[in-house]
Amino acid sequence: MILLLLFFLLPAFTLPSPFPSPSPFPPTPPPLITEHLLSEFSPLSNLHQINHTTSLSSPQLAQLKTSTLLTPSDPNSNYFLGLAHLYGLSSLPPSAVSASKFFRISAEAGSADAACALGLLLYFGIGGVGRDSKAANAWFSIASLADHPRGHWLLGRSYYEGRASIQIEIEIEIDVNGGDQQQQNFDEAGRLFGLAAAAAVPEAIHHLGLMFEYGLIATSAAVSSEVSKEEYEEALMFKTPGSQHLPNFRKAKELYQEAWGKFNFAESGYNLALMTAYGRGCEQDYPRAQNMLRTLSMDQAHPGAMRYLGIFATHGHGMKDDVSDYRAAIVWFDKCAKMDDGKFSVLCVKERDELRGAVKASRENLKKLNKEFPDIEFDNVDLDWDIDMKFLDS
């Protein structure tokens, strides 16, 4: 009995664990808000000088929480608290689920900003918030009916991408040869993009340009009367299969120039450069297109622009004397590949490696021919002999 009491009175003692102690610094989880999603939410939160870099002190966070307790349906406090949860400001861990709770309260109290934010969480299905196009479009519709510029844009994009229908809000498949339903959706998208573009939403201006470039939207009678015979015949050549409308390159260029020139919207600059390169609605001009792509690559790190600079260098488009520059091509493909954007970078890895292999194979073949026929000088005028083998293997 005494021994038993002594056992319980002795200080606790544990054997050392055979496993290493866990690190006091757990691995950083992947960010809730990726760079792409930041581009979706930032235009909304920036209206209130709030973004993922905002420094929110503990007293400020406490004040927000207190405000929502005193006035549970206050749209502003709930919206700001939702942003704090979304971005993980102050001591809060990033949480889309918590953010959605406060966005919903704010949206139901009349905040169009919150309706857009809640719609985005549902549209993309972020961090535990299930992807629900029907619910997302309902919130975008509420914001659009309140004449919110980004509400117009977000609802318009849903119609454009085929995730909304002019008849009932359901997910549908886009069929490029679809009938009246698809065209009605495009028409509604164009109407909403027009409203958003009038309120200076760059994404809407760009997508309106896309719709005019590919003939997905009707050209007004006033614009049609200005179209020359040559422009009409060119539009016929580039008509999108299944579309009821002809492309309007002039209008597309105007919109791209507006989005890129006024708002530095890179995608519009990219499309404008490709129109210039392929002569869509203008004289084909590779050097000018190359300069535009170079600006996009250097100033805005646009991977698609880097890729096309590689393509141009491979084929000599816009290069000195129209001669291919394989070293420049490999450099641009490599820059694009390292952007790791999941789209252009994948193509650039393949194109870079194929070009490296082709140049190395051409060199080996020339060496064999020169060795086999020493009296005949073989050369390949398209091959850049300044490319060393170490560069090709890097």
Side-chain angles (χ1 to χ4, degrees):
M1 185 69 177
I2 295 172
L3 289 174
L4 188 61
L5 286 170
L6 287 172
F7 175 80
F8 283 106
L9 290 172
L10 287 172
F13 176 77
T14 55
L15 292 171
S17 169
F19 303 103
S21 301
S23 169
F25 305 105
T28 304
L32 174 69
I33 303 297
T34 62
E35 190 172 338
H36 166 253
L37 292 177
L38 268 180
S39 69
E40 297 282 347
F41 284 96
S42 293
L44 287 169
S45 61
N46 283 341
L47 295 172
H48 307 277
Q49 288 77 52
I50 300 174
N51 58 40
H52 66 296
T53 65
T54 298
S55 177
L56 185 69
S57 67
S58 296
Q60 288 173 321
L61 178 61
Q63 185 179 359
L64 271 180
K65 290 180 177 180
T66 301
S67 180
T68 57
L69 289 173
L70 294 174
T71 314
S73 61
D74 178 57
N76 292 328
S77 297
N78 280 287
Y79 178 56
F80 296 148
L81 196 52
L83 290 174
H85 278 282
L86 181 70
Y87 290 137
L89 303 181
S90 189
S91 58
L92 295 173
S95 171
V97 173
S98 296
S100 68
K101 169 190 167 185
F102 292 103
F103 287 155
R104 183 178 294 275
I105 295 170
S106 178
E108 289 174 347
S111 170
D113 285 341
C116 289
L118 180 58
L120 283 170
L121 289 176
L122 292 161
Y123 193 80
F124 291 105
I126 300 168
V129 177
R131 188 171 185 260
D132 188 336
S133 295
K134 184 177 179 180
N137 293 332
W139 289 112
F140 294 154
S141 296
I142 289 171
S144 179
L145 288 170
D147 200 26
H148 191 290
R150 295 202 72 80
H152 296 320
W153 148 244
L154 294 170
L155 184 59
R157 180 174 62 179
S158 288
Y159 283 109
Y160 180 82
E161 294 182 347
R163 290 178 63 178
S165 168
I166 195 66
Q167 294 174 345
I168 51 175
E169 300 293 332
I170 58 171
E171 276 198 51
I172 61 171
E173 288 291 327
I174 280 286
D175 179 2
V176 96
N177 297 312
D180 293 340
Q181 178 65 73
Q182 182 184 345
Q183 190 57 58
Q184 286 176 359
N185 290 341
F186 281 147
D187 291 343
E188 180 65 4
R191 183 187 73 83
L192 290 162
F193 287 160
L195 293 172
V201 176
E203 298 98 324
I205 298 170
H206 172 74
H207 276 73
L208 206 53
L210 280 176
M211 298 191 83
F212 277 114
E213 182 181 358
Y214 291 98
L216 303 178
I217 190 173
T219 298
S220 68
V223 176
S224 298
S225 64
E226 300 171 3
V227 176
S228 66
K229 180 182 177 182
E230 291 77 14
E231 286 177 311
Y232 177 77
E233 290 175 348
E234 183 182 28
L236 279 175
M237 289 172 54
F238 288 103
K239 185 174 183 291
T240 301
S243 174
Q244 299 176 11
H245 309 299
L246 291 177
N248 186 331
F249 295 137
R250 184 191 301 182
K251 187 65 177 174
K253 281 184 65 179
E254 289 174 2
L255 290 162
Y256 290 151
Q257 286 168 343
E258 179 183 358
W260 193 32
K262 289 185 179 180
F263 304 102
N264 208 29
F265 194 73
E267 289 304 312
S268 287
Y270 175 68
N271 280 53
L272 198 57
L274 295 187
M275 287 185 76
T276 304
Y278 290 109
R280 290 168 69 87
C282 60
E283 289 292 324
Q284 188 176 49
D285 190 338
Y286 280 122
R288 184 162 176 262
Q290 189 183 66
N291 287 336
M292 295 164 73
L293 292 170
R294 194 177 293 274
T295 297
L296 285 163
S297 299
M298 304 303 291
D299 295 348
Q300 295 179 272
H302 193 288
M306 296 174 187
R307 177 175 180 252
Y308 262 91
L309 284 170
I311 292 172
F312 284 6
T314 301
H315 298 284
H317 298 325
M319 309 302 290
K320 185 179 179 181
D321 300 324
D322 294 326
V323 175
S324 301
D325 184 340
Y326 295 130
R327 183 183 183 89
I330 293 171
V331 166
W332 283 116
F333 285 142
D334 191 56
K335 285 180 180 292
C336 168
K338 289 175 179 174
M339 294 300 293
D340 195 25
D341 70 319
K343 180 183 175 184
F344 293 110
S345 58
V346 176
L347 298 170
C348 286
V349 168
K350 181 174 181 290
E351 290 159 339
R352 176 198 63 194
D353 294 347
E354 285 181 351
L355 183 56
R356 280 176 173 168
V359 171
K360 289 176 71 174
S362 294
R363 285 192 165 185
E364 293 302 318
N365 288 336
L366 286 173
K367 285 180 183 178
K368 289 178 182 178
L369 287 170
N370 284 323
K371 187 175 182 180
E372 189 173 351
F373 304 99
D375 296 333
I376 303 175
E377 184 176 345
F378 294 94
D379 202 353
N380 183 343
V381 294
D382 290 329
L383 190 62
D384 182 357
W385 283 95
D386 291 332
I387 304 179
D388 56 49
M389 297 304 288
K390 185 178 179 182
F391 177 78
L392 290 174
D393 291 328
S394 62

